Amino acid sequence: MKEKIRDISAMSVETKLRYFNILAIMAAIDEEINQLEMMELYRMAARFKLLHKERLTMLEDIGKNHDEIMGLCEGLLEDLNDQERNIVRFSLMKDLIIIMKADYYEAPEEKKLLHTIKVFFKITEEQMDFFFEEYQQDRSFSEEEVIELYDGNKRKERILTATAIGIPIAAIYVIEGVKKNKSSFIQTFTKRLSNMDYLKAIGLGMISYEIVKGLLKHKDNNESRLKQHLMKDSRKLQERAIRYLILDIANLQQKLQEENQEGLEAKYLKEKIVLLEKTLASFHNTKPQLL
């Protein structure tokens, strides 16, 4: 019987919480987590469809488990088959890179933690190079690229039209010149073409146009569909992350009011609410990105 391979979103709650605890440790390892890092955490929570209760547990544990990182890494691979272990290992390394680079500054503590986890999971330098390269490619992709692709196709269409019609016109100049006066067909280039000549050129041009266009259409269509599909998925993830944030902010605000908390606990909750509100504002002012 073929062994079933699960995506991280389909793995156990324990596995997902360990995974996100490791990511949260990376976000808070320099003693300060900001809304850019929190945005990435919520994008990942949206990708893995982390439930409301699981997200609240993640929020409660942020900044509390620094000393448990090795235990979390060990437990992360429990009850997984070989293929699932690889999925988790490689996905985690890429997500750690995303968190580390979220605020455009790689703190020494973040680099050290990334190296520690890389060694623990036996990730090679070649694999790390691939993850960094993939990160750069994903970050360079945006909605503007879909628009640029469309504009590029329109420009390409105009070039194809001009080329396809232009070649037959030039050919007819030569043919008609040779037919009318073989010894002086060069002079024919200066004469106007008749309406019939233009009709011939257009007819030949349509054939040329369709042939040349057909050669490029398949490649362009595939590229366009892929980018549009990726952008659509990115928008869906961002919308889900925003819904998660709105729900979690409301829950923390309700908790603060109902329990009438004071002192350090109240201060901690208020700071967490402000951080999530800043994160929500950042989402509203940021275009979707690939993970």
Side-chain angles (χ1 to χ4, degrees), residues 3-249:
E3 195 172 26
K4 186 178 180 181
I5 300 172
R6 297 169 296 173
D7 182 68
I8 295 174
S9 60
M11 292 179 185
S12 68
V13 172
E14 291 77 17
T15 297
K16 287 192 284 187
L17 284 177
R18 290 183 187 119
Y19 189 100
F20 273 89
N21 275 335
I22 295 170
L23 295 178
I25 289 173
M26 172 62 86
I29 193 69
D30 56 355
E31 305 301 329
E32 184 178 355
I33 184 168
N34 56 56
Q35 69 261 35
L36 296 177
E37 293 166 325
M38 190 61 78
M39 280 179 72
E40 300 301 348
L41 282 174
Y42 265 85
R43 277 199 185 99
M44 294 166 193
R47 173 161 48 110
F48 297 137
K49 299 179 181 177
L50 211 62
L51 298 176
H52 177 58
K53 184 178 179 181
E54 296 166 0
R55 297 196 306 274
L56 292 182
T57 301
M58 176 190 74
L59 290 172
E60 289 174 4
D61 290 340
I62 284 180
K64 296 181 180 180
N65 299 318
H66 290 192
D67 298 332
E68 301 176 12
I69 186 68
M70 288 297 98
L72 289 169
C73 288
E74 289 175 2
L76 186 60
L77 302 183
E78 289 179 359
D79 302 321
L80 303 180
N81 60 47
D82 290 341
Q83 289 297 325
E84 289 174 340
R85 288 192 185 98
N86 284 333
I87 290 171
V88 169
R89 287 167 60 234
F90 297 149
S91 177
L92 179 66
M93 296 312 300
K94 184 179 176 182
D95 287 344
L96 286 169
I97 291 170
I98 291 172
I99 297 294
M100 183 178 72
K101 289 178 170 288
D103 56 359
Y104 311 105
Y105 173 68
E106 299 172 26
E109 300 92 337
E110 293 173 331
K111 292 180 179 179
K112 183 179 178 181
L113 179 61
L114 184 69
H115 177 74
T116 299
I117 296 173
K118 181 197 85 168
V119 171
F120 178 86
F121 285 122
K122 299 178 181 178
I123 304 295
T124 67
E125 289 299 328
E126 290 79 10
Q127 288 167 337
M128 287 302 295
D129 288 343
F130 173 79
F131 296 142
F132 277 107
E133 183 180 342
E134 190 177 30
Y135 169 85
Q136 293 298 337
Q137 290 174 349
D138 287 352
R139 276 298 180 266
S140 68
F141 178 82
S142 64
E143 195 158 11
E144 281 80 0
E145 286 199 20
V146 175
I147 297 171
E148 286 172 9
L149 180 65
Y150 174 78
D151 290 341
N153 284 342
K154 296 297 287 185
R155 287 194 296 273
K156 200 176 294 182
E157 186 109 351
R158 289 195 293 271
I159 292 168
L160 281 173
T161 303
T163 303
I165 299 298
I167 290 171
I169 287 177
I172 287 174
Y173 265 113
V174 174
I175 292 167
E176 292 301 316
V178 171
K179 282 167 59 179
K180 292 176 182 176
N181 190 343
K182 293 184 180 179
S183 62
S184 60
F185 81 90
I186 298 296
Q187 296 177 1
T188 311
F189 277 79
T190 62
K191 297 179 180 178
R192 289 182 176 274
L193 289 173
S194 67
N195 290 337
M196 183 58 66
D197 291 333
Y198 276 114
L199 289 174
K200 290 177 183 177
I202 291 170
L204 289 170
M206 291 300 292
I207 296 171
S208 302
Y209 173 79
E210 290 302 326
I211 291 172
V212 177
K213 184 180 178 182
L215 296 175
L216 298 173
K217 185 177 180 181
H218 182 69
K219 178 180 180 295
D220 286 345
N221 282 349
N222 286 345
E223 185 179 0
S224 177
R225 279 197 296 268
L226 174 61
K227 290 192 173 184
Q228 288 171 2
H229 177 73
L230 290 172
M231 211 62 240
K232 182 179 178 182
D233 283 350
S234 298
R235 282 194 293 268
K236 281 184 178 180
L237 281 179
Q238 182 138 320
E239 289 166 3
R240 187 183 300 151
I242 288 172
R243 290 197 302 271
Y244 284 179
L245 270 166
I246 292 171
L247 181 60
D248 295 348
I249 290 169

